Amino acid sequence: MMTYHIQRTFHPIGQGAFYSERHDDFNIVYDCGARPLSPYAKSLVQSVFTASDKIDVLFISHFDYDHVSAISLLMRKVKKIKKVVLPLLHDEHKNLLININRAMSQNIIKLLKDPQSFFGEDTDIVYVKPASPQEENDDNEGEEKRLLDLKEIRHMQDPLSGKIEIKSGSKLRLGAELSWVFVPYNFCNKKRSIQLESELESEGFCVTQLKNDPIYSLKAFSTPASRRVLREIYTRVDGNVNENSLLLYSGPDTSFNKDELLHCYVEIGWPDFWFHRTNSGCIYTGDADLNKISLNTEYSEYIESVGVIQVPHHGSRHNFAIEAFEGFWPHIVCPVSCGEQNQYGHPASEVINQLALRLFTPLIVTEQPETEFIQHIFFINKRAESLQKTVGKF
């Protein structure tokens, strides 16, 4: 009998996000960053993988500093990052993010401007096209969801743009022998940064130029006073500047037989740990706004497989709606990543209370090592067994 093991970890990085999945034969990372990027956070990122490890796929939810600030450290630590899956941004929004991050001296400009150059030519960059309500009627509407093998995805590169673009909701896998899929969903909420734009305009900054001129900030925020104003604005809007949020389902495909699941348990800290029989799928949400997107709609076919849902935006009440959890099995685990003494008051007590009242299990993951959340999943890999028997006949 061929067994398969997955270790899913919500790392205790503080006010940020750093999640990994170590499968038997490949490694996955979803986001990698913290604010501040303290010596402790740097040490944590460098301790998870060895110099001989490869990251098969790095998923980036969005381009807030606290979700991407440690990616360069991860790159230097591991042998290689093979593929990066990230949200495709509209040019205007990309320029706005470039200007804001430059003005705030957040060193992620190269990642924003040109991911291919940032990661290098040996890394495949896969862009997930937006799937916002505004774009439901575009020419992608009739395109069916496809099962795409990430090992073979380079052939999808557009000969003109040189980019690899896939539709939101596409099923991604790493090899045909495993019935485990990754389903990214790029939700674009163009109204999300309205407050930011209003605040910028009220302080005399030209939003039109911020969106159309990627070097506007070199002049507009040239003084310490102007940069201080921007930081104050950023704090007031709770860091809500990204229109795009790449959610991700990681779990069994719909063809997965539940009888194949041998054991699934959760480990909290060390040496104290507890067991929890649960489903093995996980939905990562980044900083998505659950007032605008329903997990039970976008991931309806995987509801019965989900045992973990990350609470978005560090437990901010502005991004939370308990209705998005309707239909999911109530006793699932809901990790919340946040710093112990963050300036935003994350997580909001009302978010934790609503989850607990609906019988979900909220777990707060901070920078304290004992808050680390690990899920171990063991199942029978019947597809690999079948392939091995077929190959053995020839």
Side-chain angles (χ1 to χ4, degrees):
M1 181 176 67
M2 297 186 68
T3 60
Y4 195 85
H5 173 230
I6 301 168
Q7 177 177 306
R8 174 183 288 133
T9 307
F10 284 69
H11 299 282
I13 201 166
Q15 187 73 10
F18 180 32
Y19 316 134
S20 67
E21 291 184 8
R22 303 201 71 147
H23 294 241
D24 272 352
D25 48 5
F26 59 86
N27 296 313
I28 300 297
V29 171
Y30 180 89
D31 284 350
C32 186
R35 179 188 287 115
L37 190 56
S38 63
Y40 163 76
K42 292 178 181 179
S43 175
L44 174 66
V45 170
Q46 294 174 320
S47 69
V48 173
F49 296 98
T50 68
S52 61
D53 280 330
K54 295 179 182 179
I55 306 298
D56 291 85
V57 190
L58 166 64
F59 292 93
I60 297 176
S61 66
H62 63 295
F63 295 95
D64 263 357
Y65 182 81
D66 59 341
H67 286 250
V68 299
S69 59
I71 288 178
S72 57
L73 285 174
L74 184 66
M75 288 172 59
R76 291 196 293 270
K77 175 64 177 183
V78 300
K79 187 174 183 180
K80 183 179 181 181
I81 296 179
K82 294 182 178 181
K83 301 182 191 303
V84 177
V85 178
L86 43 74
L88 180 65
L89 306 182
H90 295 291
D91 287 341
E92 284 189 353
H93 188 59
K94 180 190 287 189
N95 289 334
L96 178 64
L97 293 179
I98 288 171
N99 277 311
I100 289 174
N101 280 278
R102 180 188 292 114
M104 294 182 68
S105 300
Q106 296 181 158
N107 190 26
I108 62 170
I109 305 302
K110 187 175 181 180
L111 172 61
L112 270 166
K113 288 179 67 175
D114 188 355
Q116 190 67 75
S117 176
F118 179 85
F119 287 101
E121 292 303 318
D122 289 338
T123 300
D124 293 329
I125 309 296
V126 181
Y127 295 92
V128 181
K129 291 182 280 191
S132 67
Q134 298 92 329
E135 297 185 59
E136 284 182 352
N137 297 318
D138 67 7
D139 57 2
N140 292 325
E141 185 178 25
E143 189 178 324
E144 295 182 359
K145 292 181 181 178
R146 291 184 291 168
L147 183 59
L148 306 174
D149 193 334
L150 281 166
K151 293 182 178 179
E152 308 294 336
I153 204 167
R154 183 168 285 189
H155 76 276
M156 293 183 61
Q157 190 174 57
D158 184 278
L160 295 178
S161 67
K163 290 183 177 180
I164 301 172
E165 297 182 6
I166 62 173
K167 185 184 178 184
S168 284
S170 297
K171 294 183 181 182
L172 309 177
R173 68 182 181 188
L174 278 162
E177 69 279 2
L178 185 63
S179 55
W180 193 273
V181 294
F182 303 93
V183 185
Y185 186 89
N186 176 10
F187 182 75
C188 180
N189 178 16
K190 293 185 178 180
K191 295 181 179 179
R192 188 173 189 181
S193 55
I194 286 179
Q195 182 186 356
L196 171 68
E197 294 178 12
S198 176
E199 296 265 4
L200 288 167
E201 287 180 342
S202 69
E203 294 290 346
F205 301 110
C206 180
V207 172
T208 300
Q209 287 186 271
L210 281 167
K211 289 182 174 181
N212 292 284
D213 182 1
I215 63 171
Y216 171 71
S217 56
L218 292 175
K219 295 177 290 184
F221 300 98
S222 59
T223 66
S226 63
R227 291 192 290 273
R228 184 169 59 251
V229 169
L230 178 63
R231 283 192 293 271
E232 291 171 354
I233 291 173
Y234 190 88
T235 301
R236 288 200 296 272
V237 301
D238 198 9
N240 242 347
V241 301
N242 279 263
E243 292 177 352
N244 298 78
S245 296
L246 187 74
L247 296 88
L248 179 72
Y249 167 78
S250 171
D253 196 2
T254 50
S255 62
F256 184 82
N257 186 337
K258 285 189 175 181
D259 292 336
E260 297 176 33
L261 183 64
L262 294 174
H263 198 53
C264 184
Y265 68 89
V266 169
E267 178 182 315
I268 309 295
W270 184 261
D272 297 322
F273 62 91
W274 52 276
F275 294 90
H276 187 79
R277 179 76 183 188
T278 184
N279 294 327
S280 55
C282 174
I283 298 178
Y284 302 98
T285 60
D287 279 3
D289 186 350
L290 298 186
N291 295 286
K292 304 294 183 182
I293 182 173
S294 295
L295 303 177
N296 49 18
T297 298
E298 305 309 333
Y299 291 113
S300 58
E301 61 185 301
Y302 304 106
I303 283 179
E304 293 185 359
S305 298
V306 173
V308 177
I309 299 178
Q310 175 227 332
V311 179
H313 202 178
H314 320 293
S316 169
R317 62 184 178 86
H318 302 296
N319 290 60
F320 188 78
I322 194 64
E323 292 75 18
F325 288 72
E326 288 181 358
F328 290 94
W329 187 54
H331 298 286
I332 63 176
V333 182
C334 300
V336 187
S337 295
C338 62
E340 275 197 317
Q341 297 181 345
N342 66 84
Q343 60 184 319
Y344 303 109
H346 297 154
S349 58
E350 60 198 86
V351 171
I352 302 301
N353 290 339
Q354 286 187 62
L355 287 167
L357 287 171
R358 297 293 182 94
L359 301 182
F360 296 110
T361 305
L363 293 174
I364 301 176
V365 181
T366 68
E367 56 269 59
Q368 297 302 321
E370 62 269 19
T371 66
E372 181 178 58
F373 164 50
I374 302 174
Q375 184 182 30
H376 293 278
I377 303 157
F378 300 87
F379 61 89
I380 304 169
N381 193 353
K382 288 188 175 180
R383 183 172 296 184
E385 274 188 338
S386 177
L387 285 172
Q388 189 178 62
K389 289 178 182 178
T390 301
V391 172
K393 292 179 180 179
F394 296 94

